[in-house]
Amino acid sequence: MSIDIRPVTGLAPRAIGGWAAFAGVVSAAVVLGVAEVVSLVVGAAGSPLFAVGSLVVDLAPPAVKEFVIAIFGTGDKAALLTLMGILIVVISAAAGVLELRRPPFGVIVIGIGGVIAFIAVITRAGATGFNGIAAIVGGVAGVVVLRLSIERLGRWKRAAAIAAAIASTPAIAPATATAAGARAGLSAGPPLERRGFLTLAIVAGAASVVAGTGARLINATSNRVAAIRTKITLPKAAVPANPVPAGATIDVPGISSFVTPNAHFYRIDTALQVPSVDPDKWTLKITGMVENEVSLSFAELLAKPLEEHLATLTCVSNEVGGDLIGTALWLGYPIRELLAKAVPKAGADMVLSTSIDGFTAGTPLSVLQDAGTNAMLAVGMNGEALPLEHGFPVRMVVPGLYGYVSATKWVVELKVTKFSEDQGYWTPRGWDAKGPIKLASRIDTPLSGASVTAGTVAIAGVAWEQHVGVKSVEVRVDNGPWAKATLADSISADTWRQWVYRWPATTGSHKIEVRATDASGSTQRQTHQPPAPNGSEGWHSIMVSVT
Ligand SMILES: Nc1nc2c(c(=O)[nH]1)N[C@H]1C(S)=C(S)[C@@H](COP(=O)(O)O)O[C@H]1N2
Ligand SMILES: [Mo]
């Protein structure tokens, strides 16, 4: 019989307990680190570290709060966080030992920690259930790491016990085993099992600390910018918009609201992480083919006579019937005024706008200079500062052009140039250099596949061709004759128009189609075109069953 016993490694029962405690602390680091990293995607509000702290503050009875403040003074927040840190280490170490001795109670303790983090996150002001995903993913990762590392620790322990037993049997004890150590029960930790445990615990722990710390710094910045944003009071518009008149809206359940609330406004961008731009550090530079380079701070922008305009924004990727469109009340400053200060040179025909995240859009210079086009450097959206994901602190809005060639969010530079020399982000990726919005119409209600009761059914929706305007909308049922829909009043060519057709519905399954005609008299064509390279085309159609 030949047994290979390599040099032994000590593993006393107390050492086992120590390693289990270490695994517990590592799993807590995994919970926090993973949650922090996931928060990069689901929003900084998902970060549990401060959420739990502030939950504790909320729940603490006033007497405790006063006691803590009395003892620690203005250092009370640092004291709270230190105390939390110590508690997390102690409890998670205990969870590790518990998982070794009484599984699955250690895992349960870590799981409860994840649940507390989840509750803390979703109960913070402004947070949503979506932000809570970070705590859930973190909790699951922590539980998995604890379970796996305790299993590996168990394997190491068993292998060490076997090796120790062999080493203490004189007959087969090889010369390499230290007899004293073996007798003390300290011996024999076969390197393979030992390494399996240590690799998992150390790699998981170190990765969580490093990635978690990095993510925490980024989340702290975006939390800080979010806090700055909520404190901004925008100036009143020097040129206010008229309130939306009653005649511009149609009261039919299910129709798109004329102004799209910010929370429901579609979002399209290439940013994995919403850029955090501190307005105090923001500047806009007008560069390129200009007589005078212009530089503008946020305070200078707010000091200008701002204008308010309602405009509908649309994405070129919107499919026929799609929802990548919304209308907002924008507050901003006309870009043509800034260009007039910069004085573009002869030959220039494009403005390449650049976002802080590197995205670019190429917009015809003539559109931005046109006094009849309300191309704006916007700071406000529906009465508040731009939401972070819609370009805070400053973005462009150009009625009549798809977003990809005009609506640069987090904009920091306007370079006056030529289409023959520069390209926006999407142009080399297969989309047209110029993107005027196409005429389109959409049925909002009933939803396709809906079942409705026979009688009068309101078919309603929106139609748009920003900056041109919509003149009429028609509806047809089952390829029958086109019937005129009733249009709401148009408040400007830059916004969509609501329409309704009251249909005498008869039982059965029916196809309903819509088409619009614009102010210049052209009607939407039936032939379907996909979004690339310059916007979708075709009639929106739905099926309904009438009972
Ligand atoms: N920085 C930046 N700005 C951008 C984009 C982007 O990817 N990055 N996408 C554009 C596109 S394609 C559209 S349709 C609009 C969408 O604006 P919204 O997200 O506010 O609706 O933003 C535009 N501005
Ligand atoms: Mo877009």
Side-chain angles (χ1 to χ4, degrees), residues 238-449:
V239 182
N242 294 322
V244 178
T249 62
I250 293 172
D251 190 13
V252 170
I255 198 169
S256 306
S257 69
F258 186 80
V259 172
T260 315
N262 289 352
H264 298 144
F265 208 95
Y266 81 96
R267 173 186 167 201
I268 292 286
D269 52 61
T270 57
L272 284 181
Q273 159 94 38
V274 175
S276 303
V277 184
D278 181 342
D280 286 338
K281 301 205 178 93
W282 178 88
T283 50
L284 178 85
K285 297 220 167 355
I286 304 186
T287 61
M289 299 172 66
V290 290
E291 298 296 342
N292 323 306
E293 293 217 336
V294 171
S295 174
L296 186 76
S297 72
F298 190 62
E300 286 165 340
L301 177 57
L302 292 192
K304 297 204 177 283
L306 302 184
E307 301 185 2
E308 250 176 3
H309 295 287
L310 274 159
T312 301
L313 197 68
T314 320
C315 183
V316 69
S317 300
N318 199 33
E319 300 278 356
V320 171
D323 58 4
L324 302 180
I325 178 167
T327 300
L329 177 65
W330 305 99
L331 173 72
Y333 188 64
I335 294 175
R336 64 173 177 280
E337 302 287 354
L338 295 173
L339 288 172
K341 264 183 79 183
V343 189
K345 292 185 178 159
D349 61 3
M350 182 229 250
V351 171
L352 187 78
S353 49
T354 304
S355 161
I356 197 147
D357 67 358
F359 171 88
T360 54
T363 313
L365 175 62
S366 56
V367 172
L368 298 180
Q369 289 180 309
D370 177 22
T373 303
N374 292 317
M376 321 165 76
L377 214 47
V379 294
M381 182 175 182
N382 292 333
E384 51 180 276
L386 290 176
L388 301 188
E389 62 275 25
H390 292 292
F392 180 80
V394 184
R395 74 173 302 168
M396 285 172 57
V397 174
V398 184
L401 301 181
Y402 286 122
Y404 82 107
V405 290
S406 70
T408 305
K409 303 190 269 189
W410 315 287
V411 64
V412 290
E413 186 187 348
L414 303 180
K415 178 187 175 196
V416 178
T417 177
K418 295 179 184 178
F419 276 98
S420 58
E421 277 172 19
D422 275 299
Q423 284 186 320
Y425 180 88
W426 286 109
T427 307
R429 292 169 172 83
W431 299 78
D432 281 3
K434 298 189 184 170
I437 287 171
K438 292 180 176 177
L439 175 62
S441 52
R442 182 179 76 191
I443 302 166
D444 290 339
T445 179
L447 293 173
S448 194

Side-chain angles (χ1 to χ4, degrees), residues 198-218:
L198 287 179
T199 307
L200 174 65
I202 291 173
V203 168
S208 300
V209 169
V210 172
T213 307
R216 174 92 284 272
L217 294 176
I218 298 173

Side-chain angles (χ1 to χ4, degrees), residues 63-341:
V64 174
K65 255 181 248 182
E66 275 149 32
F67 172 74
V68 171
I69 294 171
I71 290 190
F72 297 103
T74 48
D76 58 340
K77 291 201 178 63
L80 172 69
L81 290 174
T82 312
L83 192 68
M84 261 174 56
I86 295 170
L87 270 179
I88 289 172
V89 168
V90 170
I91 294 174
S92 61
V97 176
L98 209 54
E99 185 61 18
L100 180 76
R101 309 251 157 87
R102 302 256 183 291
F105 285 105
V107 155
I108 289 173
V109 170
I110 296 295
I112 289 173
V115 170
I116 292 174
F118 174 77
I119 292 170
V121 164
I122 64 166
T123 51
R124 295 311 89 198
T128 64
F130 185 66
N131 300 129
I133 291 173
I136 295 176
V137 178
V140 170
V143 161
V144 169
V145 165
L146 181 61
R147 189 61 259 176
L148 287 181
S149 49
I150 293 299
E151 266 166 26
R152 289 185 180 197
L153 181 59
R155 243 173 275 149
W156 176 15
K157 182 181 139 189
R158 281 188 299 278
I162 292 170
I166 292 166
S168 59
T169 309
I172 56 168
T176 46
T178 46
R183 270 190 297 277
L186 283 170
S187 73
L192 216 58
E193 282 75 11
R194 174 174 173 264
R195 206 181 302 140
F197 168 78
L198 287 179
T199 307
L200 174 65
I202 291 173
V203 168
S208 300
V209 169
V210 172
T213 307
R216 174 92 284 272
L217 294 176
I218 298 173
N219 287 329
T221 310
S222 50
N223 276 335
R224 190 174 60 82
V225 170
I228 293 174
R229 177 186 171 274
T230 56
K231 293 206 187 84
I232 288 180
T233 326
L234 292 174
K236 281 225 153 45
V239 182
N242 294 322
V244 178
T249 62
I250 293 172
D251 190 13
V252 170
I255 198 169
S256 306
S257 69
F258 186 80
V259 172
T260 315
N262 289 352
H264 298 144
F265 208 95
Y266 81 96
R267 173 186 167 201
I268 292 286
D269 52 61
T270 57
L272 284 181
Q273 159 94 38
V274 175
S276 303
V277 184
D278 181 342
D280 286 338
K281 301 205 178 93
W282 178 88
T283 50
L284 178 85
K285 297 220 167 355
I286 304 186
T287 61
M289 299 172 66
V290 290
E291 298 296 342
N292 323 306
E293 293 217 336
V294 171
S295 174
L296 186 76
S297 72
F298 190 62
E300 286 165 340
L301 177 57
L302 292 192
K304 297 204 177 283
L306 302 184
E307 301 185 2
E308 250 176 3
H309 295 287
L310 274 159
T312 301
L313 197 68
T314 320
C315 183
V316 69
S317 300
N318 199 33
E319 300 278 356
V320 171
D323 58 4
L324 302 180
I325 178 167
T327 300
L329 177 65
W330 305 99
L331 173 72
Y333 188 64
I335 294 175
R336 64 173 177 280
E337 302 287 354
L338 295 173
L339 288 172
K341 264 183 79 183

